[in-house]
Amino acid sequence: MLAKRIIPCLDCDLGVPRGRVVKGVKFKQIRYAGVPWELAEEYDRQGADELIFLDITASHERRETMAKVIEKTSENVFMPLTVGGGIKSLSDARTAFNAGADKVAINTAALKNPGLIREIAEYFGTQACVVAIDAKRRYGREPGRVVVDTPDGECWFECSFYGGREFTGIDAIQWAIEVEERGAGDIMLTSMDRDGTKEGFDIELTAAVSDSVNIPVIASGGCGSPEHILEVLKETNASAALAASIFHFGEYTVSDVKEYLRKGGVHVRLQARS
Amino acid sequence: MIAIIDYGMGNLKSIHNALTTVAGNPVIIPESRDLAGADAIVIPGVGAFGDAMRNLSPFADALFDLVDSGMPVLGICIGMQVLLDRSEESDAAGFGLIRGDVVRLPDGVRIPQMGWNELTIRRDSDLLAGIEDGDFFYFVHSYYCVPEDGQTVVATTDYGVDMAAVVEQDNIHAVQFHPEKSSKKGLVILKNFVEMIKC
């Protein structure tokens, strides 16, 4: 049976020569590893199922730095690697793939130029294009929107881009259906209401999107504990959960989380300790 | 030297790095004449069936000769599927080295299958030395292989249907998952393949 995936997200500041993972990293009993590929190796040892490298810088050199980060990582880490942040074109995607990425995640570029999804899928395969959707709740009913019932009232979900700084007026659920038709392989769905709060995933959002598409949905935004991951994987049809801070701050290892999920009845990949 | 056939679709860095890690001495081969010095061949897994067959056609004659000579061949993902007769994905004919069809994953499951799934081992195989029932491997595919001869199926995986995950016929070895993306267990399989050259 296919396992639910646990995906640590590495927010990379590429403004320094070797890049560094921001948010600080303090593993229990493990030396500080601020360099992205060292952290990637540590997550591999812990049993992460995939890794996402997110470029959170805005410098001009970042594409080259990210390429180097992926190149170094792919020498020793043999699991799917996704690169996101600042990918605007097929050429940007190609730089990432040539460095050893398996998938690229696009958000702003997909909303501005939806044809890019198909281009990436045709060049690198349908599994290669992850569309990231950053969705925010808009309470109340509006014509032409997919309205979802939540404990806080009816709402629809609006897509944002430019890292959450601007809104598009596009319905996130309708957009999810469209990106599947256009050839996306995964949807990385981030709740803007929950991101950074550590209050748990947006269950209604995740359920609504994962029930509307047939491609895998990665739940993101709001993870503060293993209980939150259990909740989103049990109560929705999400295929994967993404988390950053609970792993980076060393509160939990990936294997701690997976052991907890297994006890809670979620099918996960546990590897024998070696 | 292990020849990784470069048929011009996607990057081959992962499989190259993984074979390097297990001391496989891989070389990426873009032209069929460069297969001459190979001790083994890997057909990597990128792209769709029709494109893969079109781009692989210049390698066909050399591949048939080397398979006949007993050289170990490892097909990965789409590189496994092209070894069969045909696929529902395309009108293009497969190599037909293994009799059988490639069919679409059943309704009722998310397509593609993307993620880690378990192997059920059906019979002993050198390729799976050190691999146990229930070990996980990374799959990304929308179609799967149905070999005519069930005896060729070495291991299966369950995703809406119990399907062939590892198929072997004489010197031809094929895996539906990506060993180069399957962490330590994937490297074990690649290491086992490398060992076959030395025998």
Side-chain angles (χ1 to χ4, degrees), chain B residues 2-3 38-43 62-76 79-80 83 96-98 123 125-127 151-152 154 166-175 192-197 199:
Chain B
I2 295 184
D39 303 303
I41 295 172
V42 171
I43 309 174
L63 186 65
F64 285 128
D65 287 347
L66 294 170
V67 167
D68 280 347
S69 77
M71 183 178 290
V73 173
L74 176 63
I76 296 172
M80 170 194 205
L83 299 173
L97 288 163
I98 295 170
R123 66 170 168 86
S125 151
D126 290 343
L127 191 69
Q151 289 302 307
T152 61
V154 173
V166 182
V167 167
E168 289 188 293
Q169 178 187 293
D170 304 319
N171 51 317
I172 303 172
H173 313 269
V175 292
N192 291 338
F193 180 67
V194 170
E195 294 293 323
M196 289 175 187
I197 304 171
C199 299

Side-chain angles (χ1 to χ4, degrees), chain A residues 99-207:
Chain A
D102 299 286
K103 312 180 193 182
V104 293
I106 55 174
N107 176 2
T108 306
L111 284 160
K112 295 190 77 164
N113 171 22
L116 182 61
I117 301 168
R118 173 65 58 199
E119 281 184 61
I120 293 173
E122 278 180 1
Y123 269 77
F124 302 102
T126 48
Q127 82 292 338
C129 186
V130 180
V131 173
I133 298 178
D134 292 350
K136 187 160 177 63
R137 289 186 177 201
R138 299 296 183 202
Y139 289 99
R141 281 182 170 269
E142 267 190 44
R145 308 296 189 181
V146 180
V147 174
V148 173
D149 261 331
T150 80
D152 304 311
E154 289 180 333
C155 72
W156 64 282
F157 295 93
E158 183 177 6
C159 291
S160 89
F161 55 9
Y162 292 109
R165 291 189 298 276
E166 288 182 38
F167 287 89
T168 59
I170 293 170
D171 184 298
I173 295 168
Q174 291 166 351
W175 175 235
I177 294 166
E178 182 177 342
V179 303
E180 174 175 21
E181 287 164 1
R182 287 180 176 276
D186 273 300
I187 290 171
M188 180 179 147
L189 179 67
T190 302
S191 161
M192 300 198 51
D193 302 283
R194 296 301 180 88
D195 200 30
T197 65
K198 306 191 89 175
E199 287 174 359
F201 296 92
D202 187 331
I203 298 298
E204 289 79 20
L205 169 68
T206 311

Side-chain angles (χ1 to χ4, degrees), chain A residues 1-3 44 49 74 78-80 97-99 101-103 127 185-186 210 213-215 237 267 269, chain B residues 11 13-14 17-18 21 109-111 113-118 136 138 140 158-159 180-184 187:
Chain A
M1 201 168 97
L2 188 67
D44 184 24
D49 296 313
S74 64
F78 299 103
M79 71 169 110
F97 289 119
N98 287 344
D102 299 286
K103 312 180 193 182
Q127 82 292 338
D186 273 300
S210 58
V213 297
N214 196 39
I215 53 176
N237 286 315
H267 189 59
R269 176 179 70 109
Chain B
N11 86 79
K13 210 173 195 97
S14 307
N17 285 343
T21 300
V109 294
R110 271 172 211 265
I111 297 176
Q113 166 166 235
M114 178 152 8
W116 299 76
N117 205 336
E118 293 151 294
F136 283 90
Y138 189 78
V140 183
D158 181 16
Y159 189 66
E180 78 282 14
K181 286 286 152 194
S182 296
S183 200
K184 289 185 184 61
L187 294 180

Side-chain angles (χ1 to χ4, degrees), chain A residues 63 89-96:
Chain A
R63 266 205 301 169
S89 63
L90 194 62
S91 148
D92 290 345
R94 187 176 289 115
T95 304

Side-chain angles (χ1 to χ4, degrees), chain B residues 82-111:
Chain B
V82 295
L83 299 173
L84 280 80
D85 290 314
R86 67 192 77 78
S87 171
E88 289 180 358
E89 190 180 1
S90 162
D91 294 332
F95 285 124
L97 288 163
I98 295 170
R99 293 260 86 87
D101 292 345
V102 182
V103 301
R104 187 149 172 96
L105 286 169
D107 290 340
V109 294
R110 271 172 211 265
I111 297 176

